[in-house]
Amino acid sequence: MDKLTQSQKEEYATSLAAIALYDGEADISSEQITTLLEATGNKDVAAFYPIIFANFLTAEKISEMIISPVSGGGGGGGGGGGGAGGDAEAEEEEEKEEVEEAPPAVDMFGGGDDDGDY
């Protein structure tokens, strides 16, 4: 937390307050977020953060993010080995594409014969 900027800390505290309200099945409003921030000692949060987060983080949107998270980028781990029948068909298509994309062999020295002369 020490490496975060003040703005990042404020955003983090506000988003956690909204999630705590969601978890407690309370109304997610700017007033409730502000009250929770003050109760947890986060009194220096800019006044616009609770308003923005209350408008964006509705209970429905939080539920959606929890159920089906969206990756925000970064390097992920390797893919799992599927077991579905559709994967084999996709692999065959990839192999065909790889074969088609291979450029023709070119003799870099200009000769097409196999005399061994360079």
Side-chain angles (χ1 to χ4, degrees):
M1 291 289 288
D2 294 336
K3 294 181 181 180
L4 298 177
T5 65
Q6 182 62 30
S7 178
Q8 290 172 325
K9 289 178 184 179
E10 292 175 4
E11 291 173 4
Y12 194 60
T14 307
S15 62
L16 288 177
I19 292 171
L21 290 169
Y22 167 80
D23 191 45
E25 298 179 1
D27 183 36
I28 302 173
S29 65
S30 60
E31 294 83 19
Q32 292 283 29
I33 292 173
T34 301
T35 301
L36 188 56
L37 287 171
E38 290 174 357
T40 57
N42 294 296
K43 297 178 182 182
D44 296 333
V45 174
F48 63 89
Y49 281 120
I51 296 168
I52 292 172
F53 279 74
N55 288 332
F56 178 72
L57 293 176
T58 62
E60 295 81 25
K61 288 184 181 177
I62 293 174
S63 293
E64 185 178 319
M65 286 189 287
I66 291 172
I67 292 170
S68 59
V70 178
S71 65
D87 290 342
E89 189 174 309
E91 287 180 22
E92 288 178 19
E93 289 180 22
E94 287 180 21
E95 289 178 18
K96 287 180 184 177
E97 289 177 11
E98 289 178 17
V99 171
E100 292 173 9
E101 293 175 9
V106 177
D107 184 6
M108 292 179 10
F109 299 105
D113 54 356
D114 291 329
D115 292 347
D117 295 351
Y118 290 101

